[in-house]
C-alpha cells in the first residue's frame, strides 16, 4: 500500500523551522512504529525537533499519535476516582512508596504504572522488588481488582501503552536527542494519558541530581506537560521541587523501602514527609477530594494499613526486614561545621556504582546496595562524625563509589562542611497549574 507522506519532506519541514501538519505527525509516528520510517530518519527528525522545537498544537498532536499506537486503560468502572503521580526522577526519590497507599487511604484510587531505573536515579519497581515475594507484573484484570479492593497498585507498565514511545525513547537515548523538551513531555504524558488516570500531579525535579538542571528548563517542561494533560481532559498540576540534595537519608532500593515504612509509621525524614503530603494534597484536590487531610491518615495508621494490603496483594512479605549489605564503609567529617552541600548527583552516582542502579537495562540491581546519610544538608557535624555509610554486596565496587563522591561538583566533592555555616532549602519551589 502506498504511504501517504514521505519522511524526508517531514524532516525538511522541521529542519527549516516549519510547523508539521496534523496528518504528517499522525503518519510519521505510526509509520515509525510499523517500521516504515527508518531509525535514521526518525533520529534526524528528533534532532530537528530538539533544535527547532514544536508548537503546543504539534506537541499535543504528537502525544495523541503516540497514544494511538497502543492500548488505553479505562478506570471508569471503578467505584472511586483515580489520581496518579509522575516524578521526573531524583536521588532518594522514594515518594511513590508512601504516597500511593496514603492517597488510597484518603479515598482516591491510585493506578501507578512504574518503570525500572536506568542511570543514577532508581526505579520504583527496583525498590519494591527488595521486598521478598513482591511481584511487579500484573494483568489488567489483577490491577483493576486490586484498585477496587485496596485502592492502590504500583506495578510494571505493560508494553501495550504507547509502544511508539518505547521505540522512540530507545532511539533518542543513542542519538543525543533525549533532552528535547517536546519529546520528553510527549513521552511522559503519552504513557500517563494512555494509563487512563483522572487526575495527575507531576513532580518536576530541578537541580544537580535531576534531569533538568535549571529552573527555567524545569518550568518549561512542567508547563508543557500540564498543558498536554489539560488538553487531554486529565486534571493536571505540577510541583517544581528541589533535587540538588537527595530526598531523605536513604538512597538505594532496600534502604528506601525501610525509610518509606518509617514515614508510613508516622516518622521519617522531614523533607520526605513534606513532599509526600504536598503531592497527596495535589492528587486529592485533582480528584475532587478537598475535605480530607492526608496528614491525619499518616498519623493514625490508615496509610500504613493500605501499604500492608497493597504489598501483600502483590505477594510481598510486609514483615520481612530489608536485607543488610555485607560490605559497609563509613565516610567521616574532617572538620567541625554545618553541611552546606550534600550533592544529589554525587550521592546518586555513588549509590548506582555500589549496585543500587544499572548501567544497561538488562543488568540486575542489588537490594541492599546504596548510600545512607547519617547527616545531611543543614545539619551540624563534629570532626570524626560519620556523615554517610556506603553499602554494597560486591566489595570491588566500593572504590568506585567513593570516587563518585570525591569527583562530584567538578572535583569539589559531594559534601561541603562550613564552620558556622547555615543553609536553607526550598523543597517545593513552585506550583504550576
Ligand atoms: N522519562 C520518560 O518517560 N521519557 C523521557 O523522554 C524522559 C524521561
Amino acid at each position: 500500500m502506498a504511504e501517504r507522506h514521505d519522511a524526508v519532506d517531514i524532516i525538511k519541514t522541521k529542519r527549516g523551522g516549519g510547523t508539521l501538519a496534523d496528518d504528517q505527525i499522525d503518519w510519521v509516528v505510526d509509520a515509525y512504529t510499523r517500521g516504515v520510517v527508518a531509525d535514521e530518519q526518525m533520529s534526524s527528525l528528533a534532532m530537528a525537533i530538539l533544535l527547532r522545537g514544536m508548537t503546543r498544537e504539534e506537541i499535543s498532536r504528537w502525544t495523541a499519535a503516540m497514544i494511538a499506537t497502543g492500548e488505553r486503560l479505562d478506570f471508569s468502572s471503578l467505584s472511586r476516582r483515580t489520581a496518579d503521580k509522575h516524578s521526573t526522577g531524583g536521588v532518594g526519590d522514594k515518594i511513590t512508596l508512601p504516597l500511593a497507599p496514603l492517597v488510597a487511604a484518603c479515598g482516591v484510587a491510585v493506578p501507578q504504572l512504574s518503570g525500572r531505573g536506568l542511570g543514577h536515579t532508581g526505579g520504583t519497581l527496583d525498590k519494591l522488588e527488595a521486598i521478598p515475594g513482591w511481584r511487579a507484573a500484573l494483568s489488567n484484570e489483577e490491577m483493576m481488582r486490586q484498585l477496587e479492593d485496596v485502592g492502590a497498585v504500583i506495578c510494571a507498565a505493560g508494553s501495550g501503552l504507547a509502544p511508539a514511545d518505547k521505540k522512540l525513547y530507545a532511539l533518542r537515548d543513542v542519538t543525543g536527542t533525549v533532552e528535547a523538551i517536546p519529546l520528553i513531555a510527549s513521552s511522559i504524558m503519552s504513557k500517563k494519558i494512555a494509563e487512563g488516570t483522572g487526575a495527575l500531579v507531576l513532580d518536576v525535579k530541578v537541580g544537580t541530581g535531576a534531569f533538568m538542571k535549571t529552573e527555567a528548563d524545569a518550568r518549561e517542561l512542567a508547563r508543557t506537560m500540564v498543558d498536554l494533560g489539560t488538553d487531554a481532559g486529565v486534571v493536571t498540576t505540577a510541583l517544581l521541587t528541589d533535587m540538588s540534595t537527595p530526598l531523605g537519608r536513604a538512597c538505594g532500593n532496600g534502604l528506601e523501602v525501610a525509610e518509606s515504612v518509617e514515614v508510613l509509621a508516622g516518622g521519617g525524614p522531614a523533607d520526605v514527609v513534606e513532599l509526600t503530603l504536598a503531592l497527596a494534597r495535589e492528587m486529592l484536590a485533582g480528584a475532587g477530594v478537598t475535605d480530607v487531610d492526608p496528614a491525619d491518615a499518616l498519623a493514625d495508621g490508615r496509610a500504613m494499613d493500605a501499604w500492608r494490603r497493597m504489598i501483600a496483594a502483590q505477594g510481598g512479605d510486609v514483615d520481612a526486614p530489608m536485607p543488610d549489605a555485607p560490605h559497609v564503609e563509613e565516610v567521616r567529617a574532617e572538620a567541625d561545621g554545618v553541611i552546606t552541600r550534600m550533592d544529589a548527583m554525587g550521592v546518586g552516582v555513588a549509590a548506582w556504582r555500589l549496585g543500587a542502579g544499572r548501567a544497561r537495562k538488562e543488568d540486575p540491581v542489588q537490594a541492599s546496595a546504596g548510600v545512607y546519610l547519617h547527616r545531611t544538608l543543614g545539619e551540624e557535624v563534629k570532626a570524626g562524625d560519620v556523615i554517610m555509610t556506603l553499602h554494597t554486596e560486591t566489595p570491588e565496587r566500593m572504590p568506585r563509589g567513593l570516587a563518585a563522591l570525591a569527583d562530584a561538583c567538578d572535583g569539589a566533592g559531594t559534601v561541603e562542611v562550613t564552620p558556622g555555616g547555615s543553609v536553607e532549602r526550598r523543597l517545593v519551589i513552585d506550583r504550576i497549574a
Side-chain angles (χ1 to χ4, degrees), residues 128-255:
L128 287 168
E129 280 173 346
I131 302 173
W134 188 83
R135 185 165 63 94
L138 297 186
S139 67
N140 286 355
E141 294 69 38
E142 286 175 311
M143 186 168 72
M144 288 300 273
R145 205 173 323 121
Q146 187 171 326
L147 276 174
E148 193 60 68
D149 295 348
V150 180
V153 61
I154 302 173
C155 65
S159 53
L161 294 183
D165 176 63
K166 201 164 184 206
K167 197 170 173 194
L168 181 55
Y169 194 30
L171 183 74
R172 287 164 56 213
D173 205 24
V174 294
T175 56
T177 51
V178 166
E179 288 83 358
I181 285 180
L183 296 180
I184 299 172
S186 55
S187 164
I188 292 172
M189 293 304 290
S190 62
K191 288 171 284 195
K192 287 292 162 187
I193 296 167
E195 173 199 281
T197 183
L200 178 66
V201 58
L202 300 159
D203 181 2
V204 181
K205 305 276 186 208
V206 56
T208 60
F211 211 38
M212 298 285 129
K213 306 292 181 204
T214 68
E215 194 175 312
D217 281 349
R219 233 172 240 291
E220 187 185 338
L221 178 61
R223 180 79 267 151
T224 307
M225 292 196 292
V226 168
D227 289 345
L228 280 174
T230 307
D231 287 353
V234 181
V235 181
T236 310
T237 59
L239 297 184
L240 236 55
T241 69
D242 174 59
M243 188 28 73
S244 47
T245 299
L247 268 173
R249 298 187 182 278
C251 303
N253 303 310
L255 293 168

Side-chain angles (χ1 to χ4, degrees), residues 74-95:
D74 178 6
F75 298 122
S76 57
S77 63
L78 287 178
S79 60
R80 343 183 192 186
R81 299 211 180 152
T82 51
D84 193 8
K85 183 234 19 166
H86 177 83
S87 161
T88 56
V91 178
D93 185 3
K94 74 277 296 171
I95 301 290

Side-chain angles (χ1 to χ4, degrees), residues 250-260 322 367-372 391:
C251 303
N253 303 310
L255 293 168
E256 294 190 41
V257 171
E259 187 166 273
S260 302
M322 285 300 107
S368 67
V371 176
Y372 190 84
H391 302 232

